[in-house]
């Protein structure tokens, strides 16, 4: 049995040596595009396995081929240091579903328009590079996008409202850039799928759109911006968002009226201008694990019960006149 197998593989191997191109799985058009991308980067070390005389579906790193069509579905470079700009040739891989260029410190310049040709793209991760220019509004042409992750770059300008037309979007991460302007009200149109909205560490201004009242986010992080006003639209009996971070902004509203709900696990409100006192229902939050209201203008007694005394005093310190455990201040 095993001798037969050996004979068979020996035969196959010599066939491959004789007719290498006949057995190549790599789609010739995709291969040409990938080699053009490699040439555009002009770097001898990264993408070293991309060689014209080998099969891109078999021997190349950083790419994946579809098992039946053998078209390129994924380009992923997470180590190495691709220099220069994202080449326009990337738009010529029509079956691409995943594009991940991550932690390429020397990858600079804008996100190219050619990317809009990738009609099958579901996962776009260009995080931890040195990209500049805007978050382009033309990204809305990628109507199958589920993940749009552009964190840790030098992107500037405002968040385009056109992103709201991305119906399948479930995760939008634009944190740690240099974005300015307001959060578009249209983002509330991305409904019902628990959008992860991560916009922290930017220069966003203005108020949270009132239209967010009708949206149930999966997770919200708008910390370290310059946002003002109220956040009560994120709260209510029908909300299920478990993790929210509003810290280090200029939010100014009456905490007493917050309609907290049972699903809350993490709520960070530190360093704002929040006034009023705790809603009594705070003691009913049995899953609350991270809670911080320090550096605000809160007053009154910290209600006794639930998880509220399980946090240390730094959860509550630097407020106007909070009292009761775990603070050392007794209520008069
Ligand atoms: C980026 O490019 C500069 C100049 O070519 C080079 O000195 C540096 O090592 C590169 N940085 C990384 C992280 O590759
Ligand atoms: C961007 O480039 C600067 C300067 O070359 C470098 O210090 C920094 O680490 C880079 N940022 C990222 C996220 O790679
Ligand atoms: C990106 O911003 C960082 C920090 O402000 C800076 O050091 C770096 O040079 C910038 N990179 C580019 C490509 O503008
Ligand atoms: C909560 O959902 C119920 C049922 O869908 C609906 O009738 C009610 O108006 C909602 N309440 C709020 C405050 O949105
Ligand atoms: C609350 O936030 C303040 C300010 O960032 C920080 O100093 C403190 O350690 C935090 N406390 C907890 C319990 O997270
Ligand atoms: C609370 O009071 C006790 C007794 O006076 C003191 O030892 C402790 O340092 C105080 N703790 C804080 C956080 O102020």
């Amino acid at each position: 049995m095993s001798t037969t197998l050996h004979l068979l593989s020996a035969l196959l191997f010599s066939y491959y040596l004789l007719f290498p191109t006949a057995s190549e799985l790599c789609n010739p058009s995709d291969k040409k595009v990938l080699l053009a991308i490699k040439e555009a980067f002009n770097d001898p070390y990264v993408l070293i396995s991309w060689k014209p005389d080998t099969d891109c579906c078999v021997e190349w790193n950083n790419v994946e081929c579809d098992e039946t069509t053998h078209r390129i579905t994924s380009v992923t470079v997470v180590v190495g240091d691709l220099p220069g700009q994202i080449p326009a040739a990337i738009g010529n891989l029509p079956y691409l579903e995943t594009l991940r260029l991550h932690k390429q410190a020397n990858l600079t310049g804008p996100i190219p328009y050619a990317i809009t040709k990738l009609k099958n793209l579901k996962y776009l991760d260009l995080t931890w590079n040195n990209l500049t220019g805007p978050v382009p509004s033309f990204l809305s042409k990628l109507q199958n996008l589920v993940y749009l992750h552009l964190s840790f770059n030098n992107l500037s300008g405002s968040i385009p409202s056109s992103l709201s037309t991305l119906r399948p979007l479930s995760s939008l991460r634009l944190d740690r850039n240099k974005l300015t302007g307001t959060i578009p009200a249209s983002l509330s149109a991305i409904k019902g799928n628990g959008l992860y909205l991560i916009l922290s560490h930017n220069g966003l201004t203005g108020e949270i759109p009132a239209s967010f009242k009708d949206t149930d986010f999966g997770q919200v992080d708008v910390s370290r911006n310059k946002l003002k006003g109220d956040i009560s639209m994120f709260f209510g009996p029908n909300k299920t968002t478990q993790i929210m971070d509003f810290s280090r902004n200029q939010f100014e509203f009456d905490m007493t009226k917050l309609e907290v709900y049972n699903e809350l696990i993490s709520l960070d409100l530190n360093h704002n201008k929040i006034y009023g006192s705790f809603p009594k229902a705070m003691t009913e939050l049995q899953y609350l694990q991270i809670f911080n209201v320090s550096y605000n203008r809160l007053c009154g007694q910290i209600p006794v019960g639930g998880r509220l005394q399980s946090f240390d005093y730094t959860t509550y310190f630097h407020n106007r006149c909070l009292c009761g455990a775990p603070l050392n201040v007794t209520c008069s």
Side-chain angles (χ1 to χ4, degrees):
M1 185 68 193
S2 93
T3 7
T4 327
L5 266 182
H6 280 144
L7 191 62
L8 204 64
S9 43
L11 275 172
L12 275 174
F13 186 65
S14 35
Y15 177 84
Y16 180 78
L17 285 182
L18 282 173
F19 309 102
T21 49
S23 57
E24 175 157 344
L25 301 174
C26 185
N27 177 282
S29 152
D30 287 351
K31 187 178 205 174
K32 216 172 128 191
V33 172
L34 291 169
L35 289 170
I37 291 169
K38 178 178 175 171
E39 197 181 329
F41 280 125
N42 190 26
D43 181 273
Y45 304 111
V46 195
L47 312 180
I48 199 164
S49 68
W50 295 13
K51 294 179 187 142
D53 56 345
T54 57
D55 190 334
C56 74
C57 293
V58 181
E59 285 154 274
W60 293 20
N61 299 325
N62 309 104
V63 291
E64 272 171 37
C65 288
D66 182 85
E67 278 179 24
T68 46
T69 65
H70 308 305
R71 299 304 299 250
I72 294 290
T73 55
S74 166
V75 171
T76 298
V77 188
V78 297
V79 284
D81 281 295
L82 288 177
Q85 305 201 356
I86 301 173
I90 199 80
N92 300 330
L93 295 168
Y95 295 87
L96 203 64
E97 291 175 13
T98 299
L99 176 57
R100 247 193 118 200
L101 305 174
H102 169 74
K103 277 205 172 171
Q104 314 294 323
N106 280 345
L107 191 62
T108 55
I111 298 170
Y113 183 77
I115 213 168
T116 58
K117 290 191 278 179
L118 301 174
K119 296 298 180 202
N120 290 299
L121 204 63
K122 294 195 182 94
Y123 190 116
L124 180 60
D125 175 354
L126 302 175
T127 56
W128 292 78
N129 300 304
N130 258 318
L131 301 176
T132 53
V135 174
S137 76
F138 58 64
L139 290 175
S140 64
K141 291 178 191 283
L142 299 171
Q143 286 283 317
N144 288 307
L145 266 194
V146 180
Y147 299 93
L148 177 53
H149 292 180
L150 305 175
S151 322
F152 287 93
N153 279 289
N154 281 2
L155 299 171
S156 54
S158 54
I159 301 171
S161 62
S162 64
L163 297 183
S164 63
T165 66
L166 296 173
R167 294 299 158 184
L169 198 65
S170 77
S171 183
L172 178 60
R173 299 198 63 130
L174 304 176
D175 51 300
R176 295 182 196 251
N177 278 289
K178 300 191 167 92
L179 301 177
T180 51
T182 55
I183 300 175
S186 64
L187 291 187
S188 65
I190 310 172
K191 267 188 232 180
N193 51 5
L195 179 71
Y196 278 53
L197 184 67
I198 314 294
L199 306 175
S200 64
H201 292 82
N202 278 294
L204 299 173
T205 52
E207 303 199 354
I208 303 283
S211 58
F212 282 18
K213 179 96 197 141
D214 303 321
T215 309
D216 194 22
F217 293 94
Q219 187 172 324
V220 172
D221 184 354
V222 296
S223 63
R224 292 181 194 253
N225 280 287
K226 296 170 187 157
L227 297 163
K228 292 188 303 189
D230 203 347
I231 56 164
S232 59
M233 64 290 281
F234 287 104
F235 295 78
N238 290 354
K239 303 286 188 174
T240 61
T241 314
Q242 294 182 326
I243 298 173
M244 292 199 271
D245 192 346
F246 300 102
S247 64
R248 293 179 194 260
N249 279 285
Q250 293 153 26
F251 290 120
E252 192 168 4
F253 60 92
D254 185 354
M255 175 100 180
T256 323
K257 69 175 189 185
L258 270 199
E259 289 184 81
V260 295
Y261 51 92
N262 205 29
E263 282 82 356
L264 267 178
I265 290 175
S266 173
L267 178 60
D268 197 341
L269 299 168
N270 85 71
H271 281 95
N272 280 289
K273 299 173 181 171
I274 306 167
Y275 56 89
S277 54
F278 283 101
K280 187 78 184 68
M282 284 296 317
T283 57
E284 288 154 29
L285 304 182
Q286 47 186 318
Y287 306 116
L288 200 62
Q289 292 188 10
I290 294 173
F291 182 53
N292 201 328
V293 294
S294 65
Y295 296 91
N296 278 291
R297 296 171 182 176
L298 295 167
C299 265
Q301 177 162 20
I302 299 165
V304 177
R307 312 243 332 123
L308 293 185
Q309 276 68 40
S310 69
F311 305 106
D312 72 41
Y313 74 100
T314 66
T315 280
Y316 303 102
F317 70 172
H318 292 282
N319 271 286
R320 185 161 287 166
C321 47
L322 276 182
C323 62
L327 291 179
N328 257 355
V329 190
T330 40
C331 304
S332 51

